[in-house]
Amino acid sequence: MTATPAQSTTPAGSPFEYAPAPESRAVVDIASSYGLFIDGEFTPASDDGSFKTVNPATEEVLAEVAEATEDDVDRAVRAARRAQETVWGPMPGRERAKYLFRIARLLAERAREFAVLETLDNGKPIREARDVDVPTAAAHFFYYAGWADKLEHAGYGAAPRPHGVAAQVIPWNFPLLMLAWKIAPALATGNTVVLKPAETTPLTALLFADLLRQAELPPGVVNIVTGAGATGAALVGHPGVDKVAFTGSTAVGKRIAQQIAGTRKHATLELGGKAANIVFDDAPVDQAIEGIVNGIFFNQGQVCCAGSRLLVQESIAEELVERLKARLGTLRVGDPMDKNTDVGAINSPQQLARITELTEAGVAEGATRWSPPCDLPESGYWFAPTLFTGVSAAHRIAREEIFGPVLSVLTFRTPAEAVAKANNTPYGLSAGIWTEKGSRILWMADRLRAGVVWSNTFNRFDPTSPFGGYKESGYGREGGRHGLASYLIEGSTY
């Protein structure tokens, strides 16, 4: 169904009326249909199966996309194996680096095209796609290009070797960025790739395939198979795969771990989170409020490391919540293609239903729900920024990953209590600490069971810094020198 575009809303009580500042969608040409990218060519699915990808802000069908079968996955894995054994694996690291640099430069040159397509297919604000997703994706290729000829100095032995063929399955919340997190280190280390993007956001991966042809990457080095869960399961389970890299939900991550148990396959899993954002009474409050907003409402809260649990020291809780509510009242919800928009559309009706269910559970369990006044567009998938107070650690909204623009506020009195509440979760992906005391930051960080701990900031990423979690947030690290390890077999040091 084609719907009218979502309109940005001006927050109630705002002294300004913002004129729309829409980005043009004419900068990207969306084909009516897309095939699979196998061995350097676009090809239809073996059974001609396809599915639709939809703009979540308007419910407009953007394109028909081929749905890969087991036979298609087999073709892709075989192509990747040939390329790895005959071209990419034997290629000197300095030559592989040239391709990675070329990919990075092309991403930077075509940044506007990728940003617009990401926003149309995903629903995130164009400002985020333009300023965060695409530049950071290009930065990962630049960074790992620099490692390609230095692997013997990376700390993994004198002659580390690639695994071979890497199966990579990525989520819908950061489609292009997660692609870069996976593909860049895999190629730098001499592996070849078969990647499956999420079924709701395949378009930037397919545009990236076009970029690879522009970069003249040898055929078969990167293959992209689109489809839903069955395609991903066929890829992960293929006997020709040596390495599995997955980012997504904990439930699917557990199934993948079970599927490959007892095989020779190596795996990294970056899964869910329920991060604590901890604010002490000596924190810079205005700075903390901006960090809280960025921590949970960035990308509509559809972030695995989102600061969805706000732990506030009891003495400042009332003041901070009131000031936070005032700040939330200034957020603009609406058309993701408008450069003024702060909060865009939820990615799919299924995800919207999940968010709605958990927020209703929060109300039913006795928490107090608040949202700023805002008019949501009639078409598309939307959810207003939501704040819960009166939350206990027993509430579902404090225990389960909502993956939406929903913040739960809890209080604490002492640093020890803050650590205990922050660690009272099956997840362990990230955390934030807000205080002026450096000694307290170090004390807290040493005790928090989280793979990434931010101090006086939140949701900051850099290709040189490793990212990953503990417990049910997965295992392995992506980014930085540590991100090379999962794509290498350590060589002899003698």
Side-chain angles (χ1 to χ4, degrees), residues 472-485:
E472 291 193 11
S473 290
Y475 47 80
R477 294 293 182 266
E478 294 183 296
R481 182 185 67 84
H482 302 73
L484 298 168

Side-chain angles (χ1 to χ4, degrees), residues 133-151:
D133 294 44
V134 180
T136 310
H140 273 78
F141 281 99
F142 277 121
Y143 175 74
Y144 281 110
W147 270 116
D149 63 346
K150 304 174 185 67
L151 298 177

Side-chain angles (χ1 to χ4, degrees), residues 278-282 310-317 410-422 435 437 440 443-444:
I278 306 165
V279 182
F280 285 91
D281 58 7
D282 64 341
L310 177 61
L311 304 185
V312 187
Q313 198 153 22
E314 195 172 89
S315 58
I316 63 164
L410 301 91
T411 61
F412 67 91
R413 294 183 178 179
T414 67
E417 183 184 359
V419 169
K421 286 188 172 181
T435 177
K437 295 181 175 64
R440 179 182 285 162
W443 187 91
M444 293 284 293

